Amino acid sequence: NENGEVVIAFTIPEALTKWRFMGLAHTKDLKYGLFDKSVVTQKQLMVMPNPPRFFRQGDTLNFSVKISNLSEKDLSGMVSIEFFDELTGEKVNVLMPNEAASKQFNVAKGLSTAVQWQIYIPYTVKTLTYKVIARADNYSDGEQKMLPVVTNRMLVTESMPLPVRANQTKEFRFEKLINSNQSKTLTHEKITVEFTSNPAWLAVQALP
């Protein structure tokens, strides 16, 4: 403009960090100017969950969230958390009975506060996605991320040969399968039956 000012407008990437800007301006008669400035990208209200690297089936843990107030005034608001099964997209209730999905928070300007929920990881999910949203006045922030759910079980495969000749009827009893009902934690994965008229073919398949 007439004052020699240049306005540059652009979209900052989704990163809370510090940026360094360097510029050079010159005229046709080789007059020039340099500048070197730093800009910090941040929000007035920021929510920063502290999740583990993974969940484990059957675990009970505290899921904590840090809320930072970078505005010029004290803030009061609500923060909520939700969990979803990543494979099905359905909402999963992992909160303990005495925990509410939404909680109130108060944080002074320039300070941070922590909110936590006690959760229980069920055995029926393999991946969990959490979504945390904090709102106060006209400010809001949120985070959504998927975490794997590690099983504490061991997959055991039981096999049994069923030799039957032509024009023959035989009865087989899967004793381990029958007696497995005594276990309170065992769950069946699947039953597979393979049939071949030439048993030597199964030996060939086992070769490297």
Side-chain angles (χ1 to χ4, degrees), residues 12 32 35 61 69 77 128 132 140 146 151-152 166 169 189 193 206:
I12 291 289
Y32 69 93
F35 74 90
L61 66 147
N69 179 10
L128 272 179
V132 179
S140 66
M146 185 273 293
T151 179
N152 59 357
T169 301
E189 182 71 15
V193 179

Side-chain angles (χ1 to χ4, degrees), residues 133-153:
I133 299 177
R135 296 183 176 90
D137 290 348
N138 295 325
Y139 308 129
S140 66
D141 189 28
E143 179 175 306
Q144 179 173 318
K145 186 178 181 181
M146 185 273 293
L147 293 176
V149 179
V150 181
T151 179
N152 59 357
R153 296 168 176 261

Side-chain angles (χ1 to χ4, degrees), residues 70-120:
L70 301 179
S71 67
E72 298 298 326
K73 60 181 179 179
D74 299 344
L75 293 177
S76 298
M78 299 293 294
V79 57
S80 62
I81 189 169
E82 291 180 312
F83 292 88
F84 300 90
D85 189 333
E86 182 68 19
L87 299 178
T88 63
E90 297 180 355
K91 187 175 180 180
V92 181
N93 183 18
V94 301
L95 298 177
M96 300 297 287
N98 59 340
E99 296 288 348
S102 299
K103 293 188 177 183
Q104 187 174 4
F105 68 88
N106 299 289
V107 56
K109 63 178 181 179
L111 299 180
S112 301
T113 186
V115 180
Q116 64 180 11
W117 291 265
Q118 190 178 33
I119 63 175
Y120 171 78

